[in-house]
Structures are given as structure tokens and as C-alpha cells.
Amino acid sequence: MSNKDKEEKELATSRLLDILRAKESGEVSKSKDIPVKDEKKQDEKSIPSSVFEKNLIQTKDDVDIKEKKSEEVPSDVLQHAELLRKEKPEEKEEKEVEPVEFDGSLFSVLPGGVYKSKSKGGLSRISHLFNDSRQKITIYCSGNHLRLLRIKSNSRKIKVERYAEYTLPYQVEDKVIEDMDGLIAYVLASEHNLSKRKIKYGALYSSKILTKTNIMQIPKLKAGELSDMVNWSSKKNLTFNQEQAIIDWEVTSVAGNPSQNNIIVGVSDGESIEKNLGIFRDNNINLRLSSTLPILLWKLFVHNYPDRKDGCYVLVHIGETNTTIAVLVKKKLMFTREIAIGAEDFHKAIMQRIVDREKAIQIDHDLAETFLREYGILQGVSGVIPGTQIDLYKISIFLRPVVERLSSELNRSLNYFKKQSPELEWDEMLFDGAGATFPNLVKILHKNLNVNVGLLNPVRIDKYSYEKGAVIPDQELPNYSINFALALKSCEKINIIPDKIRNNYRFIFPSKLAIIVTIFLIPLFVTTTNMSYQKTFELREKVKRNNQQWENLSKDAKEYFTMMDDLNILDGYKRFLSNDRTYSINQIKLLKVLSSRISDEIKLTALEFKKEVLSKNEKGQNHEQINANLLEVSGFVQAHASVSDIHFTNLLMSLENLPFFTKVESTLEEHSKPDEGRLLFTLKMRF
């Protein structure tokens, strides 16, 4: 097909869609050549989501459309029909096309099986047991959809107890829930009743909570200066009252620049957070975590892709109404952006009134969701949906502008990021969210963007088991990626709930640990106190008994015992004097012997008697320390270098041969200069 034909086809398709929408809204009067008139519109049957098992009901007035085409038809319609004929030749009988199988191979797995991380420390496991987070309920709200994930975890494995999806309006017995707050309250109440144990950990992300993600690169600052800087910067250009802003952040390093820090900041509207806190509190569940969408995507990737330490990855979350982009470089969050395109745009694109042969078919929202879930984005496929006669080629024409718009916005975003950092090279683009469940969409984006693509795998790293074997299907897994992110402990580092509540939860483990330690210490304290009291009481009783015995003695007996005590004191003093005299005499003898062994060339500068404690190794005795006497002498040899060593060696040998000394140690001073006629030494002699 030439470029001119393509341009004409796209222009005609766009014009046709505008005409059909205008006719549906009543803004443009319908052509009299259209077989189904306004007054008979109520007779048309809207196709429910179960249409794939039913035959469509024809309108009351079956008209031969082929004959009518010879009459006047708007030029845009004729041009569109001409383009259809150019790309798709008419067939006598359209074949039925079965639903497309979802390609689960786009989920990457770790080479060699499940990644086994380093074993957690004992303190980490104890923390997990006592921080009330073993059972969690996570809720993700986007558009009119609410997705629930309830898990139970320990330090080794995680069990998915339940997962479910709810859509507004939601029918409950005799009433209909039409607002998201009411639906959250109903879901929490139901889960609280279904759970066998009280759920103490709740996590929530809702697109209705106003949030903002800031990424700042600033020099390293002190804690106080950093806090002021982050709070001041984060409160600028908010779409809600800055006085109500709740701010939390995480500091990461900048690769190759140790003087800089990367600050990831999450900001939320305190008013909407408080409202959701009240809903959780009313249902006896604690809301302990909420964060922004880019931060949740970042933490989910870092946790599940430990083998992707280097490189640049683009995470794309196609939500119900918006698409969020997060760029990661070496596992650091660098850029974020939001695009006003979501899964709902795909639904609205095919919610059309299609006239095919003799039938007028109205595609409602339920049918649009079912079609996209089962057929996705088809290209070059000819045929009809079984039981409906809806032409798949026409549906692909309706979807083409949305796909092209999404591709264009993604490409524009990549170019913008590239302009900010020209060195970026895209290693892979990973998709999740409602749009990622449409078969073939990711592959088409791969062709349009020329970038490696895949699906973000939220269960790539951890070992999961499922209640009664109800495994989440591959096609539904992208819908629950944010739920899995909310269950990660690493997401608690940036938690945009009120500071008071956040700090209470952060110190759950230390407080419980303090209680446990106190429980063990109190009995120990009581026991030791009681034992000390008993010992003191016994000693006091003994003193009391001795005093009574003393009082009962006669006067002569008291004098006798007093005299004996005095004699013992005198005897001890006498022995002390005797020992001291003996020790002094021995010291004098040692000095006399030492002086007789020292030659005239050796001069003493210091002499001191000391007490020394010998270790068990020196005496070869175990569990015993002995006090020994030590004589320490310092001096120098006044002689030429050629003979100074000889004089000192002779002195040392003569001292070692004396029977008074048990050990003689010698040390030459480091600043000795025998060449100048002086050799400094120190002698330690034990006796």
C-alpha cells in the first residue's frame, strides 16, 4: 500500500469514528439512507458480555443494506469502505476466529530456577515474627476496578490465600455499591469475616489518592538540612493543599559521584489518606502502607530482578485511565512520567454501533472488555467472532488510532528522557497493568518502538504457594503486580501515611523486643534480689547470735578474749617487721653483689625494686598468678664500640650465673650509639 493510500485510510477512519460518535450523541442528524432509524433504536439489542455464547438478535426492520448502498451515502463512509476493500478483499463467507491465547513467555524467569538470596539474619527473622506483618491484605484501586490480594508470609515462603477483582457498580444482595469508598469498606468487611485470624496489616494504592513523585539530585547534606530541603522542594506545585501534604523519602547514592545523593520523594494528600485510614479502622484493619505508583514499580523491579544490576529499564504501567512510566538506571529511579491513555481508551474505541450486513450491533462496555481480554489487538486478521458475526477487521480499525497514539506518546517520552541523559540506552521495556493483559499489544508496541519488551513479573523471585492450588493465570498477573509490590517490606521505606502512625509501626519490633527482654529480666532481678536479701538476713542473724553470746559471757571471759585478740594483732605486727627486715637485708645483699660484678666501664643511671605479677604461662601453673620481686637497672657502657659489647656481655653472663636471680632480661635502647662510645641498656632481674 502506498503512503498516500495509508494517509487517506487513516483520515477516513478518523472521520468515520467522528460521524458515528456524533450520530450516537444526537449532534448530527442521521442520513435517511441508514436502514435503522432513530425511533427504532430502542428495538436494538445491546450485546452483553456473554455474547460469545449467544446469537445476536436482529433489529425489527431487516433491510437489505446492499441495495441501499446504491443510494446517497456520506462521502466519508464511502471512502472508509473503499479503504477496507483495498486492505481486505471481500469473502463470500467470513470464517469464525477463536480467541487468542495469551503469550506467557513474555514473563522472564531467572536462569537456573528460583534465585536463592543470602539467608536472613536471626534478628531479621525475629523482626518478621513480631511486627504484625505475617498476614497482609493489599488493595489496588484504579478507575472502577478494585483488586485484592491477601497473603500469609514467613521468613521462607509466601502463601496467596485469596485474590479477587471487583468492579463498580457492584451488586450486593438488594443494594448496589456505586462509589469506590463504599466498595473498599465492603471488601474489608468481607475479608475480615473470611479470615481465620485478625488482619493487622493493610496496604492500599488508589488512583483517587492525590500523589506526587519527586526525584532530586543534591549534594550531601546534614540530616536537618536535608529534611528542610526535601520538605520545601516537595511542597511546590502541588495539586492539593500543601499544608495537608504527607512527605516521605529515601536517599540513594549516585553512581560515579560520591559527593551527590539521589533523593526519591513520595508526597500524598493527607485529607484523602485520612479518609482511607478511617475506612480501614472502622473494619478493624490497620492501614500501614501507601505509596506512589512509580515508587511501587521501582521497588517491585529491584526486588524481583536481582540479576539486572546494570543497564537501563523502562517500566510501563498501563492502568485503567492513565499510563505511568518509570525509568531505572542501575536499579536507581531516574525519571517518571504519566500519559493520559489507559485501558479504558481501548474499551471506548470499540464501544460502537456497528452495522454489518443485515444487523445493527451495539458493543457495550462489558462486550468491549470481553473482546479485548480474549482477542486483544489483532492486525491483519480476517474473520468474525463466533456467535456474533462481528467483523474482527473492523474492530482492529477502531483500535488502531489508540494503539498509534499510545506508541507515539511512549516514543515521545523515551525521546524526552534521552534528551535529559543522552548516554541512556534502553535495555528493555517491561509492561504491567490492565493494558498488559491485552493479547498482542506488547508485541505491537515492540514493532512500533523498536525496543526489547516483556511483561513485568511480580513473582519472579519469591516462592509462592496458593490456597487450594488456585494459581493466578498469566493473563491476570499484570493486574496484580501493584498488589504484590504493596506486600514488599522494601516499600515501607517510602510510606506516605501520617508520621505518627508510620513511626508507631516502625517501632513495633523494638517495643515488643523491649517487652520480651523485660519479661525475662524481671524474674532474674527478683531472684537475685531475693537471694541477696536471704544472704544479708543470714549474716545479720549470725551477728545477732554472736552478740548475744558475747553478752552472756562473764567479765573474765570477755577480758580473756580481748587479750587474745590483742596478742594476735601484736604477733602479726611482729611477723611483718621481721619480714620487712629480712626483705631489706636481702635487697642490700643484692646491691652488694651487683656492685661487685659491675666493671668501671659500666655506669648505672637508674635502679628500682618493683613488684611484678607473673602469668600462669611464665610459671607453668594453671589458674594461678604469683607476685614476684623485680630489680630493674638502667645504664650505659662507657667504652669504644669495639669493646663495649664485650663488657656488656660479660656483665650479663655473670649475673645469669648468680643463684639469686631466677631470670635476667636485657634490652638495648633504640637510640644507642656504640660508635660514639656509649651503649645504653636496661636489665630486668627477677628474684
Side-chain angles (χ1 to χ4, degrees):
M1 183 189 297
S2 65
N3 292 334
K4 184 177 179 181
D5 290 340
K6 288 184 179 180
E7 292 176 359
E8 291 177 353
K9 179 185 75 66
E10 291 174 358
L11 181 64
T13 302
S14 177
R15 178 60 181 158
L16 177 61
L17 293 175
D18 291 340
I19 292 174
L20 292 175
R21 292 191 182 101
K23 288 180 180 180
E24 286 294 321
S25 61
E27 295 178 0
V28 180
S29 59
K30 298 189 177 183
S31 171
K32 35 172 112 175
D33 298 317
I34 302 298
V36 182
K37 297 183 179 180
D38 289 341
E39 62 268 17
K40 295 186 180 182
K41 190 182 296 184
Q42 67 270 17
D43 293 330
E44 298 174 6
K45 298 294 183 179
S46 179
I47 309 302
S49 59
S50 58
V51 71
F52 293 150
E53 288 85 21
K54 299 179 181 179
N55 293 325
L56 296 175
I57 301 176
Q58 195 173 351
T59 54
K60 288 185 177 180
D61 299 329
D62 294 337
V63 185
D64 188 0
I65 298 177
K66 292 183 180 180
E67 294 179 0
K68 293 284 184 179
K69 282 187 178 179
S70 60
E71 302 177 12
E72 294 183 2
V73 180
S75 60
D76 291 313
V77 176
L78 292 174
Q79 190 177 13
H80 180 263
E82 180 65 23
L83 289 174
L84 290 177
R85 280 194 295 272
K86 287 181 180 180
E87 290 192 10
K88 175 193 170 188
E90 292 186 0
E91 298 181 4
K92 295 182 180 180
E93 184 177 353
E94 296 285 359
K95 63 178 180 179
E96 293 185 346
V97 179
E98 296 299 324
V100 178
E101 185 178 354
F102 185 79
D103 187 4
S105 64
L106 292 172
F107 289 110
S108 69
V109 295
L110 283 172
V114 177
Y115 175 81
K116 295 182 180 180
S117 61
K118 295 181 180 179
S119 58
K120 298 182 179 180
L123 188 61
S124 176
R125 293 180 181 178
I126 295 174
S127 172
H128 179 79
L129 291 174
F130 292 101
N131 65 358
D132 295 336
S133 62
R134 282 178 289 178
Q135 192 172 27
K136 300 180 181 180
I137 181 171
T138 64
I139 293 178
Y140 166 55
C141 303
S142 179
N144 292 328
H145 294 265
L146 182 152
R147 294 178 179 89
L148 162 85
L149 181 70
R150 190 177 80 217
I151 65 174
K152 183 178 180 181
S153 62
N154 54 38
S155 59
R156 298 183 181 277
K157 62 181 180 179
I158 305 173
K159 181 178 182 181
V160 177
E161 294 185 326
R162 199 171 106 80
Y163 66 92
E165 180 177 353
Y166 302 82
T167 306
L168 291 175
Y170 188 76
Q171 181 74 39
V172 181
E173 296 178 353
D174 57 344
K175 66 176 182 178
V176 178
I177 301 175
E178 296 184 352
D179 64 291
M180 186 57 69
D181 292 340
L183 185 58
I184 293 174
Y186 167 76
V187 170
L188 291 176
S190 301
E191 293 303 311
H192 188 270
N193 295 331
L194 290 174
S195 178
K196 297 178 182 179
R197 300 182 60 183
K198 182 179 179 181
I199 302 174
K200 298 182 179 180
Y201 191 112
L204 170 71
Y205 173 79
S206 175
S207 58
K208 293 189 176 182
I209 298 178
L210 300 177
T211 61
K212 183 180 179 181
T213 305
N214 288 338
I215 303 172
M216 301 183 295
Q217 192 173 95
I218 60 176
K220 289 186 176 181
L221 300 172
K222 295 180 180 179
E225 296 173 347
L226 177 62
S227 178
D228 294 339
M229 178 70 178
V230 170
N231 282 284
W232 177 79
S233 302
S234 301
K235 289 184 178 181
K236 295 191 301 183
N237 303 323
L238 294 178
T239 58
F240 48 87
N241 186 1
Q242 66 177 14
E243 299 300 326
Q244 298 287 337
I246 300 174
I247 304 172
D248 198 14
W249 67 88
E250 180 180 349
V251 180
T252 60
S253 60
V254 178
N257 193 351
S259 63
Q260 295 283 321
N261 277 334
N262 216 36
I263 315 297
I264 313 299
V265 187
V267 189
S268 68
D269 177 23
E271 185 177 351
S272 54
I273 289 289
E274 288 288 351
K275 186 177 182 181
N276 286 283
L277 280 169
I279 296 174
F280 274 75
R281 193 182 302 114
D282 292 341
N283 291 278
N284 297 317
I285 298 176
N286 299 323
L287 177 57
R288 291 177 52 175
L289 174 63
S290 185
S291 193
T292 68
L293 194 54
I295 291 173
L296 292 172
L297 292 172
W298 168 41
K299 295 293 185 180
L300 186 65
F301 176 86
V302 171
H303 178 78
N304 283 282
Y305 290 79
D307 53 329
R308 310 285 177 89
K309 295 181 180 180
D310 298 322
C312 178
Y313 297 89
V314 183
L315 310 181
V316 183
H317 178 85
I318 306 176
E320 300 295 337
T321 57
N322 294 299
T323 295
T324 301
I325 305 174
V327 176
L328 275 61
V329 179
K330 294 184 178 180
K331 291 195 173 182
K332 308 294 184 184
L333 184 60
M334 299 299 295
F335 304 105
T336 66
R337 194 183 183 200
E338 192 171 277
I339 302 173
I341 303 175
E344 197 62 29
D345 292 273
F346 289 87
H347 298 148
K348 291 178 180 178
I350 59 177
M351 290 171 61
Q352 306 288 340
R353 179 172 174 268
I354 299 177
V355 178
D356 192 5
R357 296 182 181 179
E358 299 179 357
K359 295 181 181 180
I361 303 169
Q362 179 66 42
I363 301 178
D364 62 6
H365 192 277
D366 291 341
L367 181 58
E369 283 189 338
T370 304
F371 169 79
L372 285 168
R373 184 172 60 252
E374 297 195 1
Y375 289 91
I377 313 299
L378 297 176
Q379 287 187 337
V381 176
S382 176
V384 297
I385 301 175
T388 66
Q389 299 303 312
I390 296 177
D391 190 349
L392 286 172
Y393 183 76
K394 290 184 178 180
I395 297 298
S396 67
I397 292 296
F398 294 148
L399 289 172
R400 187 177 298 176
V402 186
V403 175
E404 292 176 351
R405 182 183 165 205
L406 178 60
S407 301
S408 175
E409 289 295 333
L410 289 175
N411 190 53
R412 184 184 303 175
S413 299
L414 295 180
N415 291 335
Y416 170 77
F417 300 142
K418 188 83 171 177
K419 186 177 180 181
Q420 300 297 315
S421 298
E423 72 278 3
L424 293 180
E425 295 292 339
W426 316 118
D427 290 284
E428 191 174 13
M429 183 177 285
L430 298 174
F431 293 83
D432 78 317
T437 64
F438 301 158
N440 295 326
L441 176 59
V442 173
K443 293 181 179 179
I444 293 174
L445 293 175
H446 166 61
K447 295 179 181 178
N448 294 345
L449 301 174
N450 195 26
V451 178
N452 294 330
V453 298
L455 293 175
L456 183 60
N457 190 349
V459 294
R460 188 171 183 257
I461 185 70
D462 295 312
K463 294 181 179 180
Y464 286 88
S465 60
Y466 294 84
E467 186 75 20
K468 298 180 180 178
V471 180
I472 301 177
D474 287 346
Q475 188 170 3
E476 292 297 320
L477 202 54
N479 282 328
Y480 291 92
S481 60
I482 301 302
N483 294 86
F484 282 102
L486 288 167
L488 296 177
K489 184 175 178 58
S490 57
C491 288
E492 296 179 11
K493 292 182 179 180
I494 305 180
N495 192 355
I496 48 177
I497 61 175
D499 291 343
K500 182 178 179 181
I501 300 176
R502 181 171 63 233
N503 292 332
N504 286 342
Y505 294 140
R506 282 178 177 174
F507 294 109
I508 283 179
F509 170 64
S511 62
K512 289 193 173 184
L513 183 61
I515 292 173
I516 293 172
V517 171
T518 304
I519 291 174
F520 281 100
L521 287 180
I522 288 177
L524 180 62
F525 175 76
V526 171
T527 302
T528 54
T529 303
N530 186 51
M531 292 175 62
S532 176
Y533 175 78
Q534 291 293 336
K535 188 66 175 177
T536 305
F537 179 77
E538 291 176 1
L539 293 175
R540 286 177 179 175
E541 289 295 321
K542 185 177 181 179
V543 171
K544 187 177 180 180
R545 288 194 301 269
N546 291 338
N547 288 335
Q548 289 177 354
Q549 293 176 3
W550 180 260
E551 293 296 332
N552 294 332
L553 292 175
S554 63
K555 184 178 180 180
D556 294 338
K558 289 181 180 179
E559 290 179 356
Y560 169 77
F561 284 113
T562 302
M563 187 182 300
M564 291 297 296
D565 290 338
D566 293 340
L567 290 174
N568 289 332
I569 293 172
L570 292 173
D571 183 59
Y573 182 67
K574 181 181 179 182
R575 288 196 298 269
F576 169 74
L577 292 177
S578 176
N579 291 336
D580 183 64
R581 183 177 180 182
T582 303
Y583 182 67
S584 300
I585 293 173
N586 290 336
Q587 286 181 334
I588 294 171
K589 289 181 179 180
L590 286 175
L591 293 176
K592 288 180 179 180
V593 172
L594 182 62
S595 63
S596 66
R597 294 295 189 274
I598 296 176
S599 62
D600 294 337
E601 289 78 13
I602 297 176
K603 310 297 182 183
L604 299 183
T605 58
L607 186 146
E608 184 180 1
F609 287 94
K610 295 181 178 180
K611 291 287 186 181
E612 185 182 32
V613 178
L614 296 181
S615 65
K616 59 184 180 180
N617 293 330
E618 290 179 309
K619 281 293 184 179
Q621 299 175 357
N622 296 327
H623 311 293
E624 192 174 333
Q625 290 182 335
I626 300 175
N627 292 327
N629 299 313
L630 176 68
L631 174 60
E632 186 172 322
V633 177
S634 299
F636 63 90
V637 180
Q638 183 69 36
H640 192 268
S642 61
V643 294
S644 60
D645 286 336
I646 297 174
H647 289 297
F648 179 73
T649 303
N650 291 336
L651 173 63
L652 188 61
M653 292 177 62
S654 64
L655 293 176
E656 289 178 347
N657 292 329
L658 291 175
F660 304 107
F661 301 115
T662 59
K663 188 174 183 180
V664 179
E665 295 178 356
S666 63
T667 305
L668 295 178
E669 300 296 335
E670 293 181 359
H671 57 277
S672 305
K673 295 183 179 179
D675 293 337
E676 297 179 1
R678 283 196 176 190
L679 177 63
L680 301 178
F681 65 88
T682 300
L683 294 174
K684 293 183 179 180
M685 297 165 280
R686 295 188 181 92
F687 61 94

